[in-house]
Amino acid sequence: SSIATLGDMSHGLSFAGLNNTGDLSDSRISTRGDNSFALDLGPGSQVQGDQLTLSTSGQFSNAINVLENSTLSLSNSTLLTSGNTAHGVYVRGTSPSERAVATLTNVMVNTTGDNAIGVNINRNATATLDTVQITTTGANAFGIWVPDADSELIGRDVTINASGDGAIGVFTQLGGKASLNGGAIHTTGSNAYALYAGNTSSIDAQNLSLQVG
């Protein structure tokens, strides 16, 4: 099945509400317009996806939003965004007790645009990535960003290619936590870093190949 939308703030699929669940497979969802998300998870929703292709074109148009205390489990899928600040996956909870949770397995994420982050684990959130490939192209377009003390990345065999000025493979800030086992990170551009842990944050990396330039 396929869904396509055209226009600003025109989302592909939206879920919200306690016990509101979705089970998606073999589907293509595309949006064209600013602030237009392919898949939008609101409070209390739980969504499973397999073999999805989600694409957006426009500023602030994330492929997937996982918001408030929603939960996403996605496998064997492709996420494509084109536009400034258009993230592949944006995960943001409400509070430490109402967390947003995302699990990605065998997923490819490709973003093109300045400040377009592959996986943005923003606040009160946990993301578990297993065999995930992330490619970002644009200034300050990080592969993975963990900017909050109540957010955490757990990664296994994650591959990141980030290209652009200020490109960072995995960037933790303000107490954010990341653990990585296996995989590879390659960044190119002025002031590019493979790993960057700042502001009392941490990155625990093992069996990881790093290349800058």
Side-chain angles (χ1 to χ4, degrees):
S1 62
S2 64
I3 296 172
T5 70
L6 176 62
D8 294 347
M9 302 182 70
S10 298
H11 310 320
L13 282 175
S14 291
F15 295 84
L18 190 63
N19 299 322
N20 193 337
T21 63
D23 193 348
L24 312 174
S25 62
D26 299 310
S27 299
R28 301 176 64 90
I29 303 173
S30 64
T31 70
R32 295 188 64 184
D34 295 344
N35 292 292
S36 297
F37 316 125
L39 181 59
D40 188 36
L41 276 62
S45 58
Q46 300 179 29
V47 173
Q48 297 185 57
D50 183 59
Q51 298 184 24
L52 306 182
T53 299
L54 308 179
S55 61
T56 69
S57 177
Q59 293 188 88
F60 312 109
S61 295
N62 307 328
I64 302 178
N65 279 344
V66 185
L67 304 177
E68 302 196 35
N69 58 336
S70 60
T71 301
L72 169 73
S73 179
L74 181 68
S75 58
N76 308 313
S77 296
T78 299
L79 312 179
L80 308 169
T81 74
S82 176
N84 293 339
T85 322
H87 311 312
V89 183
Y90 180 77
V91 192
R92 179 169 176 165
T94 306
S95 67
S97 62
E98 294 190 325
R99 304 178 64 77
V101 177
T103 302
L104 277 60
T105 305
N106 192 29
V107 172
M108 184 186 79
V109 181
N110 191 319
T111 72
T112 303
D114 295 345
N115 305 303
I117 296 166
V119 179
N120 185 336
I121 311 167
N122 193 268
R123 186 179 299 170
N124 302 309
T126 299
T128 301
L129 312 184
D130 189 343
T131 319
V132 171
Q133 179 180 332
I134 298 170
T135 302
T136 67
T137 304
N140 300 309
F142 316 136
I144 302 172
W145 190 35
V146 191
D148 185 77
D150 287 316
S151 288
E152 181 179 17
L153 161 69
I154 302 168
R156 177 181 176 275
D157 293 333
V158 175
T159 301
I160 298 172
N161 288 280
S163 175
D165 293 345
I168 301 175
V170 176
F171 187 15
T172 58
Q173 287 182 290
L174 303 172
K177 298 174 289 294
S179 63
L180 298 162
N181 193 338
I185 298 175
H186 181 204
T187 63
T188 58
S190 177
N191 297 314
Y193 296 86
L195 302 174
Y196 194 118
N199 308 107
T200 70
S201 62
S202 65
I203 299 175
D204 178 6
Q206 304 178 51
N207 308 310
L208 185 64
S209 173
L210 306 177
Q211 180 180 355
V212 177

